[in-house]
Amino acid sequence: WFIIGSGGAFFFILIQLVLLVDFAHSWNESWIENMHKGNSRGWYTALLAVMTLNYITAFIAVILCFIFYTKPDGCIINKFFISFNVVLCTVASVVSVLRKVQVQEISALIKKD
């Protein structure tokens, strides 16, 4: 049952990730569409504010992970995985706003037409 449960948990998380990315992409597309219809400065500001709020929330989560899951004198593996995750997220964020990525119409953090 452990193997079946682990496989089910993996597919559950995978489906949740796909749904989350789809939600974020459709939300971004609808806000971009509203930005083109009228009051573009307001919609761009709202999109920027939500993005900033999400980055602040992620930064606080990283700090809390370091506080609750590591100790100053040990927990090297935990520190490594938290730091590695932060580096990967930073790289993904930087790549997503590059002009070459946005030209190919791949989902970006802030997509400007």
Side-chain angles (χ1 to χ4, degrees):
W1 288 110
F2 175 75
I3 295 172
I4 293 172
S6 296
F10 171 76
F11 284 114
F12 176 77
I13 291 173
L14 188 66
I15 290 170
Q16 293 300 311
L17 285 172
V18 168
L19 290 173
L20 180 65
V21 169
D22 182 53
F23 168 73
H25 186 268
S26 63
W27 189 11
N28 186 21
E29 288 295 320
S30 71
W31 281 28
I32 295 284
E33 184 179 318
N34 288 337
M35 189 168 62
H36 289 301
K37 286 181 182 176
N39 194 8
S40 63
R41 188 177 180 117
W43 283 104
Y44 184 76
T45 304
L47 190 62
L48 190 63
V50 169
M51 184 195 70
T52 304
L53 180 69
N54 285 330
Y55 273 109
I56 290 170
T57 304
F59 182 71
I60 291 171
V62 167
I63 291 172
L64 290 175
C65 283
F66 272 111
I67 290 172
F68 291 116
Y69 295 116
T70 63
K71 294 183 180 176
D73 57 347
C75 299
I76 300 298
I77 194 85
N78 291 357
K79 290 177 185 176
F80 168 75
F81 281 118
I82 294 170
S83 301
F84 188 68
N85 190 20
V86 169
V87 168
L88 287 179
C89 289
T90 304
V91 168
S93 294
V94 169
V95 167
S96 71
V97 295
L98 293 175
R99 179 64 61 194
K100 278 191 167 191
V101 173
Q102 289 185 2
V103 169
Q104 296 175 7
E105 297 186 16
I106 297 173
S107 179
L109 294 175
I110 293 183
K111 187 174 168 184
K112 292 165 69 173
D113 291 333

Short mmCIF file of all heavy atoms in Angstrom, two decimals, residues 42-86:
data_model
loop_
_atom_site.label_atom_id
_atom_site.label_comp_id
_atom_site.label_asym_id
_atom_site.label_seq_id
_atom_site.Cartn_x
_atom_site.Cartn_y
_atom_site.Cartn_z
N GLY A 42 -3.91 51.03 -14.65
CA GLY A 42 -4.49 50.41 -13.45
C GLY A 42 -4.31 48.90 -13.44
O GLY A 42 -3.96 48.31 -12.40
N TRP A 43 -4.56 48.25 -14.57
CA TRP A 43 -4.42 46.80 -14.63
C TRP A 43 -2.96 46.39 -14.52
O TRP A 43 -2.63 45.38 -13.90
CB TRP A 43 -5.03 46.26 -15.92
CG TRP A 43 -6.52 46.20 -15.84
CD1 TRP A 43 -7.40 47.06 -16.42
CD2 TRP A 43 -7.30 45.27 -15.11
NE1 TRP A 43 -8.67 46.71 -16.10
CE2 TRP A 43 -8.65 45.60 -15.29
CE3 TRP A 43 -6.99 44.17 -14.31
CZ2 TRP A 43 -9.68 44.88 -14.72
CZ3 TRP A 43 -8.02 43.45 -13.73
CH2 TRP A 43 -9.35 43.80 -13.94
N TYR A 44 -2.07 47.16 -15.13
CA TYR A 44 -0.64 46.86 -15.01
C TYR A 44 -0.18 47.01 -13.56
O TYR A 44 0.58 46.19 -13.06
CB TYR A 44 0.17 47.77 -15.93
CG TYR A 44 1.65 47.45 -15.92
CD1 TYR A 44 2.14 46.35 -16.60
CD2 TYR A 44 2.54 48.24 -15.22
CE1 TYR A 44 3.48 46.04 -16.58
CE2 TYR A 44 3.89 47.95 -15.19
CZ TYR A 44 4.35 46.84 -15.88
OH TYR A 44 5.68 46.54 -15.86
N THR A 45 -0.67 48.04 -12.88
CA THR A 45 -0.33 48.24 -11.47
C THR A 45 -0.88 47.09 -10.62
O THR A 45 -0.20 46.61 -9.71
CB THR A 45 -0.90 49.58 -10.98
OG1 THR A 45 -0.39 50.62 -11.81
CG2 THR A 45 -0.52 49.85 -9.54
N ALA A 46 -2.10 46.65 -10.90
CA ALA A 46 -2.68 45.53 -10.16
C ALA A 46 -1.87 44.25 -10.38
O ALA A 46 -1.59 43.51 -9.43
CB ALA A 46 -4.13 45.32 -10.58
N LEU A 47 -1.47 44.01 -11.61
CA LEU A 47 -0.66 42.82 -11.92
C LEU A 47 0.69 42.89 -11.22
O LEU A 47 1.16 41.90 -10.64
CB LEU A 47 -0.48 42.71 -13.43
CG LEU A 47 0.13 41.43 -13.99
CD1 LEU A 47 -0.76 40.25 -13.66
CD2 LEU A 47 0.31 41.55 -15.48
N LEU A 48 1.30 44.04 -11.23
CA LEU A 48 2.58 44.23 -10.55
C LEU A 48 2.43 44.07 -9.04
O LEU A 48 3.29 43.48 -8.37
CB LEU A 48 3.14 45.61 -10.90
CG LEU A 48 4.57 45.89 -10.47
CD1 LEU A 48 5.53 44.95 -11.18
CD2 LEU A 48 4.92 47.33 -10.79
N ALA A 49 1.33 44.58 -8.47
CA ALA A 49 1.10 44.46 -7.03
C ALA A 49 0.91 43.02 -6.60
O ALA A 49 1.46 42.58 -5.58
CB ALA A 49 -0.12 45.29 -6.63
N VAL A 50 0.14 42.25 -7.37
CA VAL A 50 -0.07 40.84 -7.04
C VAL A 50 1.24 40.06 -7.16
O VAL A 50 1.56 39.21 -6.32
CB VAL A 50 -1.17 40.23 -7.94
CG1 VAL A 50 -1.23 38.73 -7.82
CG2 VAL A 50 -2.52 40.84 -7.59
N MET A 51 2.02 40.36 -8.19
CA MET A 51 3.31 39.70 -8.35
C MET A 51 4.23 40.01 -7.17
O MET A 51 4.87 39.13 -6.61
CB MET A 51 3.97 40.13 -9.65
CG MET A 51 5.27 39.40 -9.91
SD MET A 51 6.28 40.17 -11.19
CE MET A 51 6.81 41.66 -10.38
N THR A 52 4.28 41.27 -6.76
CA THR A 52 5.11 41.67 -5.63
C THR A 52 4.65 41.00 -4.34
O THR A 52 5.47 40.52 -3.55
CB THR A 52 5.09 43.20 -5.47
OG1 THR A 52 5.51 43.80 -6.70
CG2 THR A 52 6.00 43.65 -4.35
N LEU A 53 3.34 40.93 -4.13
CA LEU A 53 2.80 40.26 -2.95
C LEU A 53 3.19 38.78 -2.93
O LEU A 53 3.55 38.24 -1.87
CB LEU A 53 1.28 40.43 -2.91
CG LEU A 53 0.57 39.76 -1.73
CD1 LEU A 53 0.94 40.48 -0.44
CD2 LEU A 53 -0.91 39.77 -1.95
N ASN A 54 3.14 38.14 -4.07
CA ASN A 54 3.53 36.73 -4.14
C ASN A 54 5.02 36.53 -3.86
O ASN A 54 5.40 35.56 -3.19
CB ASN A 54 3.16 36.13 -5.50
CG ASN A 54 1.69 35.88 -5.61
OD1 ASN A 54 1.01 35.60 -4.64
ND2 ASN A 54 1.17 35.98 -6.82
N TYR A 55 5.85 37.43 -4.35
CA TYR A 55 7.29 37.33 -4.06
C TYR A 55 7.56 37.56 -2.58
O TYR A 55 8.39 36.88 -1.98
CB TYR A 55 8.09 38.31 -4.91
CG TYR A 55 8.47 37.74 -6.25
CD1 TYR A 55 7.89 38.20 -7.42
CD2 TYR A 55 9.42 36.73 -6.35
CE1 TYR A 55 8.23 37.68 -8.64
CE2 TYR A 55 9.77 36.21 -7.57
CZ TYR A 55 9.17 36.68 -8.71
OH TYR A 55 9.52 36.16 -9.93
N ILE A 56 6.88 38.52 -1.96
CA ILE A 56 7.06 38.77 -0.53
C ILE A 56 6.61 37.54 0.27
O ILE A 56 7.29 37.14 1.23
CB ILE A 56 6.29 40.04 -0.11
CG1 ILE A 56 6.97 41.27 -0.69
CG2 ILE A 56 6.19 40.14 1.41
CD1 ILE A 56 6.17 42.55 -0.53
N THR A 57 5.50 36.94 -0.10
CA THR A 57 5.01 35.74 0.58
C THR A 57 6.02 34.60 0.44
O THR A 57 6.29 33.88 1.42
CB THR A 57 3.65 35.31 0.01
OG1 THR A 57 2.74 36.40 0.11
CG2 THR A 57 3.10 34.10 0.74
N ALA A 58 6.58 34.42 -0.73
CA ALA A 58 7.59 33.37 -0.93
C ALA A 58 8.84 33.64 -0.11
O ALA A 58 9.42 32.71 0.48
CB ALA A 58 7.93 33.25 -2.41
N PHE A 59 9.26 34.90 -0.02
CA PHE A 59 10.43 35.26 0.77
C PHE A 59 10.19 34.98 2.26
O PHE A 59 11.07 34.44 2.94
CB PHE A 59 10.77 36.74 0.55
CG PHE A 59 11.98 37.21 1.29
CD1 PHE A 59 13.24 36.79 0.90
CD2 PHE A 59 11.86 38.07 2.37
CE1 PHE A 59 14.38 37.21 1.58
CE2 PHE A 59 12.98 38.50 3.05
CZ PHE A 59 14.24 38.08 2.67
N ILE A 60 9.00 35.30 2.75
CA ILE A 60 8.66 35.01 4.15
C ILE A 60 8.63 33.51 4.38
O ILE A 60 9.09 33.02 5.43
CB ILE A 60 7.31 35.67 4.51
CG1 ILE A 60 7.48 37.19 4.55
CG2 ILE A 60 6.78 35.15 5.84
CD1 ILE A 60 6.18 37.96 4.68
N ALA A 61 8.13 32.74 3.42
CA ALA A 61 8.10 31.28 3.56
C ALA A 61 9.52 30.72 3.64
O ALA A 61 9.78 29.78 4.42
CB ALA A 61 7.34 30.66 2.39
N VAL A 62 10.43 31.26 2.86
CA VAL A 62 11.83 30.80 2.91
C VAL A 62 12.43 31.10 4.29
O VAL A 62 13.11 30.25 4.88
CB VAL A 62 12.67 31.45 1.79
CG1 VAL A 62 14.15 31.24 2.01
CG2 VAL A 62 12.24 30.90 0.45
N ILE A 63 12.18 32.28 4.79
CA ILE A 63 12.69 32.64 6.12
C ILE A 63 12.11 31.70 7.18
O ILE A 63 12.84 31.21 8.06
CB ILE A 63 12.37 34.12 6.45
CG1 ILE A 63 13.19 35.03 5.55
CG2 ILE A 63 12.63 34.42 7.91
CD1 ILE A 63 12.80 36.49 5.65
N LEU A 64 10.81 31.42 7.10
CA LEU A 64 10.20 30.51 8.07
C LEU A 64 10.76 29.10 7.94
O LEU A 64 10.92 28.39 8.94
CB LEU A 64 8.68 30.51 7.90
CG LEU A 64 7.97 31.80 8.34
CD1 LEU A 64 6.49 31.73 8.01
CD2 LEU A 64 8.20 32.05 9.82
N CYS A 65 11.05 28.67 6.73
CA CYS A 65 11.67 27.35 6.55
C CYS A 65 13.03 27.30 7.22
O CYS A 65 13.37 26.31 7.87
CB CYS A 65 11.79 27.01 5.06
SG CYS A 65 10.26 26.49 4.30
N PHE A 66 13.82 28.36 7.07
CA PHE A 66 15.12 28.40 7.73
C PHE A 66 14.97 28.44 9.25
O PHE A 66 15.75 27.83 9.97
CB PHE A 66 15.94 29.60 7.26
CG PHE A 66 16.77 29.32 6.05
CD1 PHE A 66 16.46 29.90 4.83
CD2 PHE A 66 17.86 28.47 6.11
CE1 PHE A 66 17.21 29.65 3.71
CE2 PHE A 66 18.62 28.21 5.00
CZ PHE A 66 18.30 28.79 3.79
N ILE A 67 13.96 29.14 9.75
CA ILE A 67 13.77 29.22 11.20
C ILE A 67 13.32 27.89 11.78
O ILE A 67 13.86 27.42 12.80
CB ILE A 67 12.75 30.34 11.54
CG1 ILE A 67 13.37 31.71 11.26
CG2 ILE A 67 12.30 30.25 13.00
CD1 ILE A 67 12.38 32.86 11.38
N PHE A 68 12.32 27.25 11.16
CA PHE A 68 11.72 26.07 11.76
C PHE A 68 12.37 24.75 11.35
O PHE A 68 12.21 23.74 12.05
CB PHE A 68 10.22 26.01 11.42
CG PHE A 68 9.43 27.07 12.12
CD1 PHE A 68 8.78 28.05 11.39
CD2 PHE A 68 9.35 27.11 13.50
CE1 PHE A 68 8.04 29.03 12.02
CE2 PHE A 68 8.62 28.10 14.15
CZ PHE A 68 7.96 29.06 13.41
N TYR A 69 13.08 24.70 10.23
CA TYR A 69 13.63 23.43 9.76
C TYR A 69 15.14 23.34 9.79
O TYR A 69 15.70 22.36 9.31
CB TYR A 69 13.13 23.14 8.34
CG TYR A 69 11.64 22.93 8.30
CD1 TYR A 69 10.83 23.81 7.58
CD2 TYR A 69 11.04 21.89 8.99
CE1 TYR A 69 9.46 23.64 7.55
CE2 TYR A 69 9.67 21.72 8.96
CZ TYR A 69 8.89 22.59 8.25
OH TYR A 69 7.54 22.43 8.21
N THR A 70 15.81 24.36 10.31
CA THR A 70 17.27 24.29 10.43
C THR A 70 17.69 24.77 11.82
O THR A 70 16.92 25.41 12.53
CB THR A 70 17.97 25.17 9.38
OG1 THR A 70 17.61 26.53 9.59
CG2 THR A 70 17.61 24.75 7.97
N LYS A 71 18.91 24.43 12.16
CA LYS A 71 19.52 24.90 13.41
C LYS A 71 20.89 25.47 13.06
O LYS A 71 21.52 25.06 12.09
CB LYS A 71 19.67 23.74 14.39
CG LYS A 71 18.35 23.20 14.84
CD LYS A 71 18.51 22.11 15.86
CE LYS A 71 17.12 21.64 16.24
NZ LYS A 71 17.10 20.55 17.14
N PRO A 72 21.36 26.45 13.82
CA PRO A 72 22.65 27.09 13.48
C PRO A 72 23.82 26.12 13.40
O PRO A 72 24.72 26.30 12.59
CB PRO A 72 22.86 28.10 14.61
CG PRO A 72 21.51 28.33 15.19
CD PRO A 72 20.73 27.08 14.97
N ASP A 73 23.81 25.07 14.22
CA ASP A 73 24.97 24.18 14.27
C ASP A 73 24.81 22.91 13.45
O ASP A 73 25.72 22.08 13.41
CB ASP A 73 25.29 23.82 15.72
CG ASP A 73 24.09 23.18 16.42
OD1 ASP A 73 22.98 23.24 15.87
OD2 ASP A 73 24.28 22.64 17.52
N GLY A 74 23.70 22.72 12.80
CA GLY A 74 23.50 21.47 12.06
C GLY A 74 22.53 21.64 10.92
O GLY A 74 22.36 22.73 10.37
N CYS A 75 21.87 20.55 10.56
CA CYS A 75 20.85 20.52 9.52
C CYS A 75 21.40 20.99 8.17
O CYS A 75 20.77 21.77 7.46
CB CYS A 75 19.64 21.35 9.90
SG CYS A 75 18.80 20.79 11.38
N ILE A 76 22.57 20.50 7.83
CA ILE A 76 23.20 20.92 6.57
C ILE A 76 22.34 20.54 5.37
O ILE A 76 22.19 21.33 4.43
CB ILE A 76 24.62 20.30 6.45
CG1 ILE A 76 25.51 20.74 7.61
CG2 ILE A 76 25.25 20.65 5.12
CD1 ILE A 76 25.75 22.21 7.68
N ILE A 77 21.77 19.34 5.40
CA ILE A 77 20.97 18.89 4.25
C ILE A 77 19.72 19.76 4.09
O ILE A 77 19.32 20.08 2.96
CB ILE A 77 20.64 17.38 4.35
CG1 ILE A 77 20.13 16.85 3.02
CG2 ILE A 77 19.62 17.10 5.43
CD1 ILE A 77 21.21 16.46 2.10
N ASN A 78 19.10 20.15 5.20
CA ASN A 78 17.92 21.02 5.11
C ASN A 78 18.30 22.39 4.56
O ASN A 78 17.58 22.95 3.72
CB ASN A 78 17.28 21.17 6.49
CG ASN A 78 16.63 19.90 6.96
OD1 ASN A 78 16.60 18.90 6.26
ND2 ASN A 78 16.10 19.92 8.18
N LYS A 79 19.40 22.94 5.03
CA LYS A 79 19.87 24.23 4.53
C LYS A 79 20.17 24.15 3.03
O LYS A 79 19.86 25.07 2.27
CB LYS A 79 21.11 24.69 5.27
CG LYS A 79 20.85 25.08 6.70
CD LYS A 79 22.15 25.45 7.39
CE LYS A 79 21.93 25.73 8.87
NZ LYS A 79 23.17 25.99 9.59
N PHE A 80 20.77 23.02 2.62
CA PHE A 80 21.08 22.85 1.20
C PHE A 80 19.82 22.84 0.35
O PHE A 80 19.73 23.53 -0.67
CB PHE A 80 21.88 21.55 0.98
CG PHE A 80 21.97 21.17 -0.47
CD1 PHE A 80 22.83 21.85 -1.31
CD2 PHE A 80 21.18 20.17 -1.00
CE1 PHE A 80 22.91 21.52 -2.66
CE2 PHE A 80 21.25 19.82 -2.33
CZ PHE A 80 22.12 20.50 -3.16
N PHE A 81 18.82 22.04 0.75
CA PHE A 81 17.62 21.92 -0.08
C PHE A 81 16.81 23.21 -0.10
O PHE A 81 16.24 23.58 -1.14
CB PHE A 81 16.76 20.74 0.38
CG PHE A 81 17.27 19.42 -0.11
CD1 PHE A 81 17.67 18.45 0.77
CD2 PHE A 81 17.38 19.18 -1.47
CE1 PHE A 81 18.15 17.23 0.32
CE2 PHE A 81 17.86 17.97 -1.93
CZ PHE A 81 18.26 16.99 -1.03
N ILE A 82 16.74 23.93 1.02
CA ILE A 82 16.03 25.21 1.03
C ILE A 82 16.76 26.20 0.11
O ILE A 82 16.14 26.88 -0.71
CB ILE A 82 15.91 25.76 2.46
CG1 ILE A 82 15.00 24.85 3.30
CG2 ILE A 82 15.35 27.18 2.44
CD1 ILE A 82 15.01 25.17 4.78
N SER A 83 18.07 26.27 0.24
CA SER A 83 18.86 27.20 -0.59
C SER A 83 18.79 26.82 -2.06
O SER A 83 18.67 27.69 -2.93
CB SER A 83 20.31 27.21 -0.13
OG SER A 83 20.40 27.60 1.21
N PHE A 84 18.87 25.51 -2.36
CA PHE A 84 18.80 25.04 -3.74
C PHE A 84 17.44 25.40 -4.36
O PHE A 84 17.37 25.84 -5.52
CB PHE A 84 19.04 23.53 -3.78
CG PHE A 84 19.16 22.97 -5.15
CD1 PHE A 84 20.25 23.28 -5.96
CD2 PHE A 84 18.19 22.11 -5.65
CE1 PHE A 84 20.36 22.76 -7.23
CE2 PHE A 84 18.30 21.59 -6.92
CZ PHE A 84 19.39 21.91 -7.71
N ASN A 85 16.38 25.26 -3.59
CA ASN A 85 15.05 25.62 -4.07
C ASN A 85 14.95 27.12 -4.34
O ASN A 85 14.37 27.54 -5.35
CB ASN A 85 13.99 25.20 -3.04
CG ASN A 85 12.59 25.32 -3.58
OD1 ASN A 85 12.37 25.36 -4.77
ND2 ASN A 85 11.64 25.38 -2.66
N VAL A 86 15.54 27.93 -3.47
CA VAL A 86 15.54 29.39 -3.69
C VAL A 86 16.29 29.74 -4.96
O VAL A 86 15.84 30.58 -5.75
CB VAL A 86 16.14 30.12 -2.46
CG1 VAL A 86 16.39 31.58 -2.77
CG2 VAL A 86 15.23 29.98 -1.26
#
